[in-house]
Amino acid sequence: MVCAVVQSDDKVIVDAQSSLDTLMTANYEIGTKNIVIDKALIAEEFFILGSGLAGEILQKYVNYGGRIAIYGDFSQYTGKPLKDFIYESNKGHDVFFASTEEEAIQMITR
């Protein structure tokens, strides 16, 4: 299974449209809808579940058949809702959270 590992010096996903653009670019350029991305490239608002940004973005991915694995250090987030969200996501098939890029790749390509 192929995945696109997103790399950039700037934030890549800042809203639902930029997340869709990322997905469609990966699909067009390398023929995959599996995205692996560093959490540093995603707007911080994504990790505040009450903002609704995570829901908007992930709904776009589901609607377009995309899957995403986000990697990085999530220990700074101490709220139970996000911890529960990460736990439940990792039990599914479309959204994953991992500590490292390698782990994210393994999760999304299994």
Side-chain angles (χ1 to χ4, degrees):
M1 186 175 294
V2 176
C3 66
V5 178
V6 178
Q7 297 179 339
S8 177
D9 293 329
D10 300 312
K11 298 270 187 214
V12 175
I13 296 179
V14 295
D15 56 21
Q17 186 58 53
S18 61
S19 69
L20 183 58
D21 292 346
T22 302
L23 178 63
M24 291 300 112
T25 298
N27 189 38
Y28 177 75
E29 290 184 4
I30 61 174
T32 189
K33 291 185 179 180
N34 297 314
I35 306 297
V36 173
I37 188 167
D38 187 328
K39 73 178 260 315
L41 302 180
I42 301 173
E44 190 62 29
E45 190 180 2
F46 178 92
F47 302 100
I48 303 168
L49 295 183
S51 73
L53 184 59
E56 281 184 69
I57 288 172
L58 298 178
Q59 187 61 51
K60 290 280 187 199
Y61 273 66
V62 169
N63 289 348
Y64 288 89
R67 300 168 69 223
I68 189 168
I70 302 166
Y71 67 91
D73 180 7
F74 300 98
S75 64
Q76 71 190 51
Y77 306 110
T78 58
K80 185 170 174 20
L82 183 61
K83 286 184 177 192
D84 290 348
F85 178 71
I86 290 171
Y87 176 78
E88 290 299 324
S89 294
N90 284 345
K91 289 171 42 178
H93 303 287
D94 300 315
V95 180
F96 305 96
F97 293 87
S99 299
T100 66
E101 180 181 318
E102 294 78 22
E103 184 183 354
I105 291 169
Q106 287 178 352
M107 293 174 93
I108 205 162
T109 57
R110 62 177 171 194

